[in-house]
């Protein structure tokens, strides 16, 4: 499984999380891009107004996942196993992860992070 994780490049916590995943990437296949990159909405098939709602995953087949499912897809690539994505798809687990993800996403600017990606790499955004 390969794809691209699109994250909020203006968010320090989001940037820190992406860097954390990148440092633990066992496969070397994790690719990330900020949602602020030009043409991102078109690539994902998502309205510009919804890009910042959540993280997004675009897999090699063209399927798009959002939120907790997107992070589980990225974690699956990092670990080299589909287990995180399979566990996410268990109905009770999915409900809990989606609720936690939604809360964190709605409060993400309040969490400590690092210099946001778009601030340190303005050419990407």
């Amino acid at each position: 499984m390969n794809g691209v994780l699109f994250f909020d490049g203006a968010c320090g916590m989001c940037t820190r999380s992406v860097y954390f995943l990148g440092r633990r990437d066992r496969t070397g296949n994790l690719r990330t891009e900020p949602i602020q990159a030009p043409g991102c909405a078109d690539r994902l098939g998502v309205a510009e107004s919804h890009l910042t709602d959540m993280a997004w995953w675009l897999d090699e087949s063209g399927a798009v996942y959002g939120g907790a499912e997107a992070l589980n897809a990225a974690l699956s690539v990092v670990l080299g196993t589909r287990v995180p994505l399979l566990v996410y798809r268990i109905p009770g687990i999915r409900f809990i992860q989606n609720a936690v993800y939604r809360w964190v996403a709605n409060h993400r600017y309040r969490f400590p992070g690092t210099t946001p990606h778009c601030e340190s790499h303005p050419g990407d955004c």
Side-chain angles (χ1 to χ4, degrees):
M1 179 173 179
N2 289 315
V4 180
L5 177 65
F6 292 88
F7 68 101
D8 184 354
C11 166
M13 185 208 65
C14 305
T15 300
R16 174 183 254 166
S17 299
V18 165
Y19 292 169
F20 177 85
L21 283 174
R23 286 190 306 272
R24 281 145 186 85
D25 185 5
R26 296 178 185 172
T27 65
N29 293 329
L30 180 66
R31 293 180 303 159
T32 61
E33 291 184 32
I35 56 175
Q36 291 82 2
C40 183
D42 291 335
R43 286 181 63 199
L44 291 169
V46 174
E48 288 271 346
S49 60
H50 292 293
L51 275 179
T52 59
D53 290 350
M54 63 188 82
W56 299 93
W57 178 260
L58 175 62
D59 80 8
E60 60 196 354
S61 72
V64 175
Y65 309 145
E69 188 173 22
L71 294 184
N72 279 287
L75 187 57
S76 291
V77 167
V78 166
L79 298 176
T81 176
R82 294 183 65 86
V83 170
L85 199 50
L86 295 173
V87 169
Y88 167 79
R89 291 187 174 150
I90 297 170
I93 302 296
R94 178 187 317 203
F95 176 80
I96 293 167
Q97 284 191 16
N98 286 342
V100 170
Y101 180 88
R102 184 83 263 137
W103 186 87
V104 170
N106 287 336
H107 298 90
R108 68 185 177 264
Y109 296 110
R110 296 180 185 173
F111 290 104
T114 189
T115 303
H117 183 85
C118 289
E119 202 173 301
S120 59
H121 301 88
D124 293 351
C125 303

